[in-house]
Amino acid sequence: MNDIKNFEVFWNTIADKTRLNANGYRVLVDMALYGYCTTQKQFLERRCWKQSSVSNTFKRLYDEKFLICKLEGRKIIYELNEELFEDKRKENKSVVIDIQTFSNVWNTIIEKTELSANSYRVLIDILLYGATSQKDLWERRGWKIAGVSATFRKLYDMNLLLLHEEDGKKIYSANIDFIINEKKEE
C-alpha cells in the first residue's frame, strides 16, 4: 500500500475489533501494508514466525471474515476482505505520519511479540493521529479506561511512547526515533 489515507480507513475498520488478538492485528496490518494476497508459506518466509502461529491466525482471521481465500492450483491464497477498506466513520481525524515512516516503524513493532492486541491498537492509533492523553483516546475510541491506562503504562515502560505535560495534562506520543533506531541496532 502506498497511501496512508487508504491504510487509515482500513485501520479504523479493524481498530475496534476486540475479538482480534495481537497476531491478528500483526497479520492484518502487515497484509494491508505489503500486499493483499499471500499464502501462509509466503507470509512465513517473509516474517519467520512459527508455522502453527501463522496457521492458527490465518484460520481465525478467515473464520471471522477478515480474510477471504481462493484456490490457485494447489495453493490457498489469502487476501484481505475488501469490506475492511470501506470508510464507515462518523468523524475524520488528521493523519500525522507518512506511509514510509509508518512502514519503517511497523517493521520493528511487528516483531515485538510481547505486545498485546491493546498495545498494537493504542500504538498504531497514536502513530496515525499523533500525541494524545489517555482520556482523549479512550473517549474518542470508546475503549475501556483500565485497559487503555495499563497499555499506555506498558508502552511507556518499553520506551515506545514519550510523555510530556501540556496544560496540566499528560500527553503521550510515539517514540518514532527510538523505534526506528532500535531496528537498526539489531
Side-chain angles (χ1 to χ4, degrees), residues 1 8 24 41 60 74 80 94-95 97 117 123 150 169 179:
M1 178 175 295
E8 189 247 355
K41 182 179 178 186
R60 183 163 186 208
R74 297 180 60 143
L80 292 173
S94 296
V95 175
I97 194 169
L123 186 54
K169 286 172 76 174
I179 296 168

Side-chain angles (χ1 to χ4, degrees), residues 55-70:
S55 179
N56 291 338
T57 301
F58 273 73
K59 181 185 180 329
R60 183 163 186 208
L61 292 173
Y62 174 77
D63 290 346
E64 296 286 339
K65 301 193 181 358
F66 291 107
L67 298 178
I68 57 175
C69 62
K70 59 186 176 186

Side-chain angles (χ1 to χ4, degrees), residues 67-116:
L67 298 178
I68 57 175
C69 62
K70 59 186 176 186
L71 194 58
E72 286 184 7
R74 297 180 60 143
K75 293 181 182 177
I76 298 175
I77 308 291
Y78 292 87
E79 49 186 74
L80 292 173
N81 185 338
E82 287 297 319
E83 290 178 11
L84 299 176
F85 292 93
E86 293 175 10
D87 198 345
K88 302 171 188 170
R89 288 174 291 157
K90 294 177 185 163
E91 114 182 87
N92 282 323
K93 209 159 159 40
S94 296
V95 175
V96 299
I97 194 169
D98 62 86
I99 194 72
Q100 186 58 53
T101 305
F102 183 85
S103 182
N104 290 341
V105 170
W106 177 251
N107 283 321
T108 298
I109 65 175
I110 189 174
E111 300 304 334
K112 292 191 171 293
T113 57
E114 68 273 22
L115 293 181
S116 66

